[in-house]
Amino acid sequence: MLDFFISPAYAQEGAAGGGIAQIVMLVGFVLIFYFLLWRPQAKRAKQHKQLISNLDKGDEIVIGGGMVGRITKVSDEFLTMEIAEGTEVNVQKNAVATVLPKGTIKSI
């Protein structure tokens, strides 16, 4: 009746390798995810773990909040950081963002 409004749909033959192409594309997305996201993040985590394990008394550090100080005591999970002469704070080791070169802090 209203066939002139709706064009008839005819089945088309798909490509023979349609399933294989989808698998290849899925594998490609997994590889892109691995190389762009997971691998760099794992590398940074490994570097940070090594940085934390190498902390020692006298090291000058910056913590995540931007506070700068010199390590006076190191324990398993915490360290004591001198931020000014006579002012010490306890900080978790994981909060350490970077180790500064020796002699960077002159005022403490």
Side-chain angles (χ1 to χ4, degrees), residues 14-101:
I20 293 174
Q22 289 178 347
I23 292 173
V24 169
M25 190 168 14
L26 181 63
V27 169
F29 283 132
V30 169
L31 289 174
I32 289 170
F33 180 77
Y34 174 76
F35 283 109
L36 293 180
L37 296 174
W38 187 78
R39 188 170 173 238
Q41 183 178 357
K43 188 175 179 181
R44 282 191 302 271
K46 183 179 177 184
Q47 288 172 341
H48 189 255
K49 187 175 181 180
Q50 182 180 11
L51 174 114
I52 288 172
S53 67
N54 292 335
L55 291 175
D56 199 16
K57 182 179 176 180
D59 286 345
E60 298 173 358
I61 59 171
V62 177
I63 62 172
M67 193 178 299
V68 178
R70 185 175 290 123
I71 298 175
T72 58
K73 185 170 42 169
V74 179
S75 65
D76 289 338
E77 295 194 25
F78 293 92
L79 55 89
T80 303
M81 180 173 82
E82 185 179 28
I83 56 174
E85 197 169 323
T87 306
E88 294 183 344
V89 293
N90 292 328
V91 178
Q92 284 185 332
K93 280 186 169 182
N94 288 335
V96 176
T98 187
V99 176
L100 299 172

